Amino acid sequence: MKIVILERNSVGEDVSVACLSDFGQVTAYGNTVTAEEVRDRVRDADIVIANKSPMCEATLKDAPNVKLICEFATGYDNCDLAYCNARGIKVANVRDYCTAMVAQHTFTMALALSQKLFHYDTYVKSGAYSAQDRFSNFDIPFYELEGKTWGIVGMGNIGRRVAKIAAAFGCRVIFYSITGKSTCTEYCQVDKEMLLSESDFLSLHCPLSELSRHFIDAAALECMKNTAVLLNVARGAVVDNMALYQALMEGKIAAAGLDVLEKEPLDAAHPLCSIRDSNRLLVTPHLAWASVEARTRCVQEAYRNIEAFLQGGARNLVVS
């Protein structure tokens, strides 16, 4: 069995993938970007492990032996599922491996922004605190989570974990279902208008689809409180990044925390890069999922998917 890992670096060099050699000959590439690279590297593969590399007719047509595409991710929008299905190629993803870390990162950003931690850390390290004659300083107001309304878009595993933590902080939790098909009854489901107008914190945890693309646009931002904090740990295009920039500059909302962006990596010329105030905008490089524990689970889950496939099972298949 020939296994090709197209994006070895996507799980980090500090996490071993040696276990995958249990199934055959493994060839690993640090990163694979272009369709031409993909086509050349999968030509003789039986199993392809990918993350963002395009898996479609253009890249797979000259790879007659491919039987399984195994994602180092939950998302599989890099795969042309119709083509894979027509070819009889199975596609498997990994699920629920980073729920704890994404939820943790959501609150890391929320707390840093709401408590103005960057301001106060800088205040102390600048020497201003040492130079004052009183024991405390709170020149920029900050607020408690208790009693606030926490809105959620996407009440899947991550959304439910965030809801549980928010409730533990004393927040009132409301949520909106993009598809309208949520079966969650533990929290109050509301319409989009109420979600936007009542949320003090609004966190996004939904997949990207035509229903969710630019869910937060200029019109949505107009409906939000000017004290609200927006948190996107879903997909970059769920938020119109230019509209968000304008809203932040005009004070339409108080702050935003972004782990995902419409174009990744972020273009250095993008207006969001001009906002240097980390009390207003906090951006991290798509790492909310990437704790050591989560990346280790990702590899382990891919291993189990391959093992099940080779034994004739159907584990985590999105195309069966």
Side-chain angles (χ1 to χ4, degrees):
M1 193 65 60
K2 293 184 178 179
I3 302 169
V4 174
I5 306 175
L6 291 175
E7 296 153 283
R8 167 68 180 83
N9 293 346
S10 68
V11 292
E13 291 292 340
D14 57 327
V15 171
S16 175
V17 298
C19 60
L20 298 172
S21 296
D22 289 354
F23 305 120
Q25 175 188 335
V26 176
T27 303
Y29 298 94
N31 197 28
T32 302
V33 179
T34 68
E36 291 75 15
E37 288 176 328
V38 175
R39 186 173 60 248
D40 291 343
R41 293 174 178 180
V42 304
R43 195 177 300 272
D44 298 321
D46 296 295
I47 296 173
V48 178
I49 300 176
N51 186 312
K52 302 296 183 187
S53 297
M55 299 281 100
C56 57
E57 182 175 7
T59 59
L60 296 171
K61 64 181 180 180
D62 297 324
N65 300 327
V66 173
K67 305 171 184 65
L68 173 69
I69 296 169
C70 204
E71 296 280 4
F72 266 166
T74 300
Y76 46 88
D77 49 324
N78 61 315
C79 286
D80 182 337
L81 297 185
Y83 174 76
C84 290
N85 191 45
R87 275 275 306 271
I89 299 172
K90 312 296 186 186
V91 178
N93 66 347
V94 292
R95 303 173 187 179
D96 202 26
Y97 71 101
C98 61
T99 297
M101 188 61 235
V102 176
Q104 179 177 314
H105 193 74
T106 301
F107 284 91
T108 298
M109 292 195 297
L111 294 168
L113 290 165
S114 63
Q115 293 179 211
K116 307 297 187 290
L117 292 187
F118 296 100
H119 167 75
Y120 288 111
D121 179 65
T122 300
Y123 183 84
V124 172
K125 291 176 179 175
S126 71
Y129 179 54
S130 299
Q132 71 181 43
D133 58 3
R134 62 193 186 283
F135 79 96
S136 181
N137 179 61
F138 40 87
D139 57 321
I140 296 181
F142 53 94
Y143 303 92
E144 299 174 356
L145 266 63
E146 184 169 0
K148 303 299 189 296
T149 295
W150 190 292
I152 293 173
V153 179
M155 195 56 88
N157 290 333
I158 295 172
R160 287 171 187 258
R161 182 70 66 92
V162 168
K164 184 177 181 180
I165 298 170
F169 269 111
C171 294
R172 167 194 176 224
V173 176
I174 60 176
F175 78 97
Y176 175 80
S177 170
I178 291 284
T179 63
K181 298 178 181 178
S182 176
T183 59
C184 178
T185 57
E186 299 98 311
Y187 305 100
C188 179
Q189 185 171 179
V190 299
D191 60 24
K192 184 175 182 179
E193 181 181 359
M194 181 175 291
L195 177 89
L196 296 171
S197 63
E198 295 195 7
S199 294
D200 297 298
F201 295 85
L202 177 56
S203 60
L204 310 177
H205 309 287
C206 55
L208 180 63
S209 69
E210 289 312 305
L211 292 174
S212 64
R213 186 178 298 276
H214 284 191
F215 177 82
I216 301 296
D217 56 11
L221 290 159
E222 285 282 352
C223 296
M224 294 178 67
K225 297 179 180 181
N226 60 11
T227 55
V229 176
L230 175 68
L231 304 158
N232 188 9
V233 290
R235 288 292 182 265
V238 176
V239 175
D240 182 333
N241 286 184
M242 281 301 300
L244 175 61
Y245 167 75
Q246 291 293 337
L248 288 169
M249 294 301 292
E250 296 169 11
K252 297 291 177 63
I253 63 172
L258 308 175
D259 184 58
V260 289
L261 298 138
E262 287 191 89
K263 182 180 182 297
E264 296 174 345
L266 179 63
D267 191 323
H270 195 285
L272 284 174
C273 290
S274 68
I275 301 178
R276 299 293 184 177
D277 180 4
S278 294
N279 297 295
R280 203 165 28 138
L281 175 65
L282 177 59
V283 184
T284 53
H286 202 147
L287 54 69
W289 64 278
S291 65
V292 172
E293 295 90 342
R295 289 182 286 115
T296 300
R297 284 192 292 270
C298 183
V299 174
Q300 292 170 343
E301 285 294 295
Y303 180 97
R304 293 178 184 126
N305 288 344
I306 295 172
E307 182 179 49
F309 170 77
L310 294 177
Q311 293 175 352
R315 187 177 192 272
N316 290 340
L317 294 184
V318 296
V319 169
S320 57

